[in-house]
């Protein structure tokens, strides 16, 4: 685990990320808060591209909790059967849709606790929804962020909650809104698990990773 980088280094890192892509976007397709919740829940142990392919036609016919309930679990399975763990995910989507209709008037709640109470929605999913839909600077830590945070010193931590807290505590506030998107994209395409592309990395001179591949 790398040592936490100092404030000025953090400012420089996120200034470079911002200069490279000022408005980073999540890669999951959605049309409203509900479809975002569903898409993120389906993305566990699956690629964003795979989820987008499966939900393209699904969201045309079921873009609200009630429409999803009307569609039914078996028809939902037909749409998402190319995604890993599709049966369990289908059960969770139907359950969370029922809860949203019965307890929240068909609307997606915007507190982390309420979101986490939904079947199949964990802290990461809740943070993605809070950040992407309501523009709250929540930090959704996935495997890419965890790896990048610990390798580089941007946000070292022994678990995802510790890394999340390190981002919140150490990334300058003016970069907080997009911090997790910049980190996800950098971890997904540059600071990859095997043979990181350090030669193409815009922060390689600031990163503490000792085994750089140059």
């Amino acid at each position: 685990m790398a040592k936490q980088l100092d404030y000025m280094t953090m400012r420089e890192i996120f200034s470079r990320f911002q200069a490279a892509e000022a408005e980073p976007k999540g890669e999951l397709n959605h049309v409203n808060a509900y479809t975002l919740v569903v898409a993120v829940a389906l993305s566990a142990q699956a690629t964003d591209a795979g989820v987008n392919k499966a939900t393209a036609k699904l969201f045309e016919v079921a873009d609200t909790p009630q429409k999803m309930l009307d569609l039914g679990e078996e028809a939902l399975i037909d749409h998402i059967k190319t995604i890993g763990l599709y049966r369990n995910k289908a059960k969770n989507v139907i359950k969370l849709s029922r809860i949203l209709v019965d307890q929240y008037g068909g609307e997606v709640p915007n507190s982390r606790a309420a979101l986490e109470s939904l079947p199949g929605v964990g802290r990461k999913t809740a943070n993605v929804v809070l950040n992407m839909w309501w523009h709250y600077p929540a930090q959704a830590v996935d495997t890419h962020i965890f790896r990048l945070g610990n390798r580089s010193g941007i946000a070292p931590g022994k678990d995802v909650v510790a890394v999340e807290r390190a981002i919140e505590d150490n990334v300058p506030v003016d970069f907080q809104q997009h911090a997790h998107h910049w980190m996800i994209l950098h971890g997904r395409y540059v600071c990859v698990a095997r043979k990181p592309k350090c030669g193409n990395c815009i922060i390689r001179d600031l990163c503490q990773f000792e085994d750089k591949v140059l």
Side-chain angles (χ1 to χ4, degrees):
M1 185 188 301
K3 183 180 178 182
Q4 176 66 55
L5 294 169
D6 62 76
Y7 175 80
M8 294 308 294
T9 302
M10 293 285 284
R11 282 211 68 88
E12 178 60 24
I13 284 172
F14 283 91
S15 293
R16 293 183 190 182
F17 285 156
Q18 185 179 60
E21 187 167 5
E23 295 286 335
K25 304 293 183 184
E27 296 183 329
L28 285 171
N29 294 336
H30 59 282
V31 296
N32 54 31
Y34 172 70
T35 54
L36 178 58
V37 170
V38 172
V40 181
L42 293 177
S43 71
Q45 297 181 321
T47 65
D48 288 357
V51 172
N52 288 340
K53 185 175 181 180
T55 59
K57 292 185 177 179
L58 171 64
F59 291 158
E60 290 180 2
V61 296
D63 61 354
T64 70
Q66 187 59 59
K67 288 180 182 178
M68 190 68 75
L69 293 174
D70 294 342
L71 181 67
E73 187 173 325
E74 290 306 314
L76 171 58
I77 286 174
D78 285 340
H79 281 281
I80 67 170
K81 59 188 176 184
T82 56
I83 301 174
L85 307 175
Y86 64 90
R87 289 192 182 279
N88 188 56
K89 290 177 180 179
K91 290 182 186 299
N92 283 335
V93 168
I94 294 298
K95 287 179 182 177
L96 73 83
S97 299
R98 172 54 63 192
I99 291 171
L100 290 176
V101 169
D102 290 348
Q103 298 182 23
Y104 297 99
E107 299 294 326
V108 176
N110 63 353
S111 80
R112 185 183 285 117
L115 286 166
E116 284 191 72
S117 72
L118 299 174
V121 177
R123 188 176 183 88
K124 186 190 82 169
T125 299
N127 283 345
V128 170
V129 175
L130 291 173
N131 183 289
M132 290 181 63
W133 193 256
W134 282 286
H135 308 295
Y136 176 77
Q139 308 301 330
V141 177
D142 68 355
T143 183
H144 302 299
I145 290 181
F146 188 82
R147 178 176 62 253
L148 173 61
N150 278 289
R151 270 182 180 172
S152 64
I154 292 174
K158 293 182 178 179
D159 54 44
V160 294
V161 175
V163 170
E164 179 184 327
R165 178 59 60 83
I167 296 171
E168 292 175 345
D169 288 350
N170 294 285
V171 174
V173 169
D174 47 319
F175 298 117
Q176 288 271 338
Q177 180 63 53
H178 296 310
H180 92 274
H181 279 128
W182 283 316
M183 292 181 71
I184 286 173
L185 294 171
H186 197 73
R188 181 177 291 165
Y189 298 113
V190 181
C191 194
V192 295
R194 296 181 181 180
K195 296 183 179 179
K197 302 171 184 178
C198 301
N200 295 323
C201 176
I202 62 174
I203 63 166
R204 62 181 176 273
D205 58 317
L206 305 173
C207 170
Q208 294 187 46
F209 186 44
E210 295 181 353
D211 299 320
K212 290 187 176 74
V213 181
L214 298 171

